[in-house]
């Protein structure tokens, strides 16, 4: 929760995150993927909290809306993927079998037959349940197990539109 307000104020930055597929803004269409990276904001802490958490609480909560306890936050973004390239393993294009990279984990490959040459704008890493090649579902031994990931290597193509606060529920009860 400490970085939520900063993300909304400053936007996303591809240089701050280096994951399995290089530096970039990592996004997901399924909130369960995002939830894997959240931490709990257990209670309103007022001025005794760290500066960033105190600022977040002052922005979100007031006398009219109390901190709900055990809150998690996710940023909902609007993203331009442009001409993306899809992969199963982060190395090869799922359609052509060629490398997805022009410069490893820095610049994506050129869009085929583009003139002048234009590099792909984003990387889509397919999960096993989303893999489709030439219209037919494939069953690879590699790939992500659960959720597709979307990587944007230029943060200016992302817009953090909403901060969503939520509770985790199990059998209808918060946990």
């Amino acid at each position: 929760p400490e970085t939520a307000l900063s993300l909304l104020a400053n936007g996303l930055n591809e240089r701050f995150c280096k994951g399995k597929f290089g530096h970039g803004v990592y996004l997901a269409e399924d909130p369960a993927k995002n939830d894997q990276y959240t931490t709990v904001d257990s209670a309103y802490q007022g001025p005794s909290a760290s500066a960033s958490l105190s600022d977040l609480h002052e922005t979100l909560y007031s006398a009219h809306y109390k901190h709900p306890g055990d809150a998690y936050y996710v940023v909902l973004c609007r993203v331009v993927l442009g001409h993306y390239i899809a992969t199963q393993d982060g190395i090869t294009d799922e359609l052509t079998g060629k490398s997805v990279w022009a410069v490893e984990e820095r610049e994506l490959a050129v869009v085929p037959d583009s003139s002048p040459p234009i590099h792909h704008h984003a990387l889509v890493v397919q999960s096993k349940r989303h893999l489709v090649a030439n219209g037919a579902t494939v069953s690879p031994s590699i790939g992500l197990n659960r959720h597709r990931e979307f990587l944007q290597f230029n943060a200016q193509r992302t817009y953090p539109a909403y901060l969503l606060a939520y509770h985790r529920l199990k059998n209808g009860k918060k946990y």
Side-chain angles (χ1 to χ4, degrees), residues 9 18 34-36 38-39 46 58 69 82 99 101 103 109 112 124 132 139 141 146 157 159-160:
K18 183 173 191 315
N34 303 100
D35 183 65
Q36 294 174 349
T38 62
T39 56
E58 292 299 319
S99 177
W101 303 106
V103 178
V124 176
V132 176
S139 300
S141 59
R146 293 180 53 197
R157 296 181 185 132
Y159 174 73

Side-chain angles (χ1 to χ4, degrees), residues 49-112:
S50 66
S52 58
L53 193 55
S54 178
D55 289 347
L56 177 67
H57 287 170
E58 292 299 319
T59 301
L60 297 178
Y61 307 111
S62 65
H64 301 291
Y65 188 78
K66 302 289 184 196
H67 189 291
D70 294 337
Y72 295 84
Y73 304 101
V74 66
V75 178
L76 181 66
C77 297
R78 294 177 184 207
V79 181
V80 176
L81 291 178
H83 198 99
Y84 67 86
I85 190 168
T87 183
Q88 300 169 20
D89 59 7
I91 299 169
T92 55
D93 180 336
E94 74 174 359
L95 295 178
T96 66
K98 295 179 181 177
S99 177
V100 298
W101 303 106
V103 178
E104 189 174 341
E105 296 183 354
R106 290 280 182 204
E107 188 71 47
L108 292 170
V110 171
V111 175

Side-chain angles (χ1 to χ4, degrees), residues 10 15 46 81 96 101 104 109 111 120 127 141 145 147-149:
N10 299 306
R15 294 181 302 266
L81 291 178
T96 66
W101 303 106
E104 189 174 341
V111 175
H120 285 90
S127 69
S141 59
N145 287 323
H147 309 288
R148 290 196 298 181
E149 292 186 28

Side-chain angles (χ1 to χ4, degrees), residues 1-63:
E2 288 82 4
T3 59
L5 199 56
S6 177
L7 287 174
L8 293 177
N10 299 306
L12 303 170
N13 188 329
E14 70 276 8
R15 294 181 302 266
F16 290 151
C17 182
K18 183 173 191 315
K20 184 176 182 178
F21 308 106
H23 287 278
V25 176
Y26 284 70
L27 305 145
E29 63 192 334
D30 189 327
K33 178 66 178 178
N34 303 100
D35 183 65
Q36 294 174 349
Y37 300 97
T38 62
T39 56
V40 67
D41 179 5
S42 56
Y44 180 81
Q45 297 177 15
S48 65
S50 66
S52 58
L53 193 55
S54 178
D55 289 347
L56 177 67
H57 287 170
E58 292 299 319
T59 301
L60 297 178
Y61 307 111
S62 65

